[in-house]
Amino acid sequence: MTETPLVTAVERLVIAVRDLADAERIYTRILGRSPSWRHEDPGGGTAHVLYRLDNIGLELVTPTGDGPWGLVVSRHLEKQGEGIQVLFLATSDAAAATEQLKGRGLPAVALPEGGAKSGSRIRRWRSVILPPHVTRHLPIIVNETIGAPDVVPLAPLREGVAAEDAISALDHVVVMTPDAEACKKLFGEQLGIRLALDQSKPEWGVRQLFFRVGGVTIEVVEPLDKEKAPKVDAFWGLAFRAASVGAVRDRLAREGADVSEVRVGRKKGTEVATIRKPTCGVPVLLVGPVAS
């Protein structure tokens, strides 16, 4: 009997921000899309804005009070500043995932059913928390969505923005590490995410691991020069997929964003452009096929 995959997708990435309204303006411009969802959690002490893309949710969160989650976000902002805070991985069965994780050496803790409301829409979920000391201090939560997943609609195009000028999906999220082998065990063996490629590139000074699930790549990067390696693992940057990098780049430039010229990507057949600050502490890249 085939075991059900523990992880089925990258459900969403959470970016901790100090000013939610300002962060919303920044990412609405970057994506060319308006938010799918907003809600406040007075008990948890946080406020949220969520964009649902084709293959992932991108969530902005800020502390609003002394609730438990607000304190977690506040500590992150104090110690690390704005940036990617949490990686949510999707599972079809939180209870089964909890037992699988425990069997793989990850002492998972199942939380009570949670929920949130935006207008008349209600989201419900079951979360499985992993202690940070077993995930190399990368905040990772395994999540089962209860009910219809489309309760959060796709982020609509902003008025005046054409589909080819907007972002529709995430290509990859980058994790920086001093120990690629340890990450290989965590993401591959324990979380069960497929390792698609393991390569060393001396000309770039890095070793790269590419884990793929649900149309998203988790790229783990270890500098070959140990003096350049981070002290601890950290979520680093995002690469958004664009059907036309040039079209998205030009739209951003017209709107006043600081964005580089289009250049040849490292992956054959691709081109890229860098979106510079402000990005709420997240290095951001556009990537797509070479324009014909």
Side-chain angles (χ1 to χ4, degrees), residues 15 23-36 49-60 154-158 161-170 238-242 248 251-252 255 257 275 284-286:
I15 300 174
E24 180 181 332
R25 284 191 292 271
I26 290 168
Y27 275 90
T28 294
R29 179 170 69 180
I30 288 173
L31 300 174
R33 296 179 179 274
S34 299
S36 306
V49 169
L50 175 64
Y51 301 83
R52 181 183 157 209
L53 304 180
D54 287 345
N55 61 352
I56 196 171
L58 185 69
E59 185 169 5
L60 310 174
L154 287 171
L157 291 169
R158 277 174 34 220
V161 175
E164 61 268 24
D165 299 339
I167 298 299
S168 60
L170 184 75
L238 300 175
F240 289 109
R241 197 177 300 156
V248 177
R251 190 260 303 167
L252 286 168
E255 294 175 353
I275 302 174
V284 176
L285 191 73
L286 299 171

Side-chain angles (χ1 to χ4, degrees), residues 27-85:
Y27 275 90
T28 294
R29 179 170 69 180
I30 288 173
L31 300 174
R33 296 179 179 274
S34 299
S36 306
W37 176 283
R38 295 182 181 88
H39 81 269
E40 292 193 15
D41 179 6
T46 52
H48 306 251
V49 169
L50 175 64
Y51 301 83
R52 181 183 157 209
L53 304 180
D54 287 345
N55 61 352
I56 196 171
L58 185 69
E59 185 169 5
L60 310 174
V61 62
T62 197
T64 58
D66 294 331
W69 298 115
L71 293 176
V72 169
V73 179
S74 292
R75 284 196 293 269
H76 178 93
L77 291 170
E78 289 169 7
K79 292 182 179 180
Q80 297 170 246
E82 292 188 316
I84 302 171
Q85 183 189 6

